[in-house]
Amino acid sequence: MGVVELHLGTGRSPTVVATSGKRRGYKVFGLIELFSGRLFYQGIDGKFNASSYLAFLTDVLAQTSQPLFLVQDGAKYHTAQAVKHFFQQQRSRLTVATLA
């Protein structure tokens, strides 16, 4: 069984997550709140896709009342129609910049 350590910064103990060891990887969505430095993260077992990305963003929005500015790359799950629709619905709370 493999192990991945997620180091969360100075003064914090790393989180250790057991994996199957087959791929030697663990996928994690992450977002840092700019002004407070608060870290939001969610590990997933499957692939990154629009559904898992939307679940992560919905969870983050439920945990903070602050508006969020997202900087993301052009991954397919970032630009999927369902994600674009979600961003449109959440435009009062989310500002999104997609890197070229």
Side-chain angles (χ1 to χ4, degrees), residues 3 10 13-14 16 21 24-25 36-37 47 52 59-60 62-64 66 70 78 82 86 91:
V3 174
T10 305
S13 298
V16 180
R24 301 210 184 273
S36 70
K47 294 182 178 183
S52 59
D59 188 47
V60 170
Q63 293 181 54
T64 181
Q66 298 298 314
L70 299 178
H78 287 153
F86 179 82
R91 67 184 173 274

Side-chain angles (χ1 to χ4, degrees), residues 46-76:
K47 294 182 178 183
F48 284 149
N49 58 40
S51 295
S52 59
Y53 188 46
L54 290 175
F56 170 67
L57 292 175
T58 300
D59 188 47
V60 170
L61 288 173
Q63 293 181 54
T64 181
S65 60
Q66 298 298 314
L68 300 173
F69 184 85
L70 299 178
V71 179
Q72 59 185 19
D73 62 17
K76 287 184 181 182

Side-chain angles (χ1 to χ4, degrees), residues 21-40:
K22 292 179 184 176
R23 293 181 152 233
R24 301 210 184 273
Y26 187 70
K27 294 173 180 64
V28 178
F29 285 117
L31 185 148
I32 299 172
E33 197 171 53
L34 180 63
F35 296 106
S36 70
R38 184 175 176 192
L39 173 66
F40 297 91

